[in-house]
Amino acid sequence: PDHDDAHGNIAGSDRLWGAVKTVIVADLVMSVDNVIAIAGAAQGAGDGHQMPLVIFGLLVSIPIIVWGSQLVIKLMDRFPMIITLGGMLLGWIAGTMAVSDPALANPAPMY
């Protein structure tokens, strides 16, 4: 083998830190996404119940994300219908949020 090829000049630490940064950014984006989803799901509750539902949702979702991801992947591989059901649930929640949006519920009067 030729020892003067370009493969010998790969800087491993740069690639490692790039991957670490990518994982950190992805985790932050998914965390914000979970907070928004939980807040949206709790939006239909009464005024006194919204914050406790958000806190409960975060306390439940964080362990599921941290410890349950491998289990969920295995279940999705074994039962693909779980993916469809999850998409249906997200669609239902998004539709409920869109229909109850104050900007859509009370449009500005036409002059």
Side-chain angles (χ1 to χ4, degrees):
D2 187 13
H3 295 289
D4 294 329
D5 62 354
H7 295 290
N9 297 328
I10 295 175
S13 64
D14 290 341
R15 293 183 186 270
L16 174 66
W17 288 113
V20 168
K21 289 177 189 177
T22 301
V23 169
I24 290 171
V25 169
D27 284 344
L28 288 174
V29 168
M30 287 186 283
S31 296
V32 170
D33 182 44
N34 285 339
V35 170
I36 291 171
I38 291 168
Q43 187 176 17
D47 289 333
H49 298 289
Q50 287 181 353
M51 188 53 69
L53 284 176
V54 170
I55 293 169
F56 175 74
L58 291 174
L59 290 174
V60 169
S61 69
I62 290 172
I64 289 174
I65 291 169
V66 171
W67 293 306
S69 63
Q70 290 298 318
L71 175 65
V72 171
I73 289 172
K74 289 177 184 178
L75 286 173
M76 287 189 311
D77 285 340
R78 188 168 179 185
F79 305 107
M81 183 57 116
I82 293 173
I83 299 168
T84 303
L85 293 173
M88 290 168 54
L89 177 63
L90 286 174
W92 178 70
I93 292 171
T96 302
M97 289 173 62
V99 170
S100 64
D101 189 341
L104 298 175
N106 299 318
M110 302 293 282
Y111 293 105

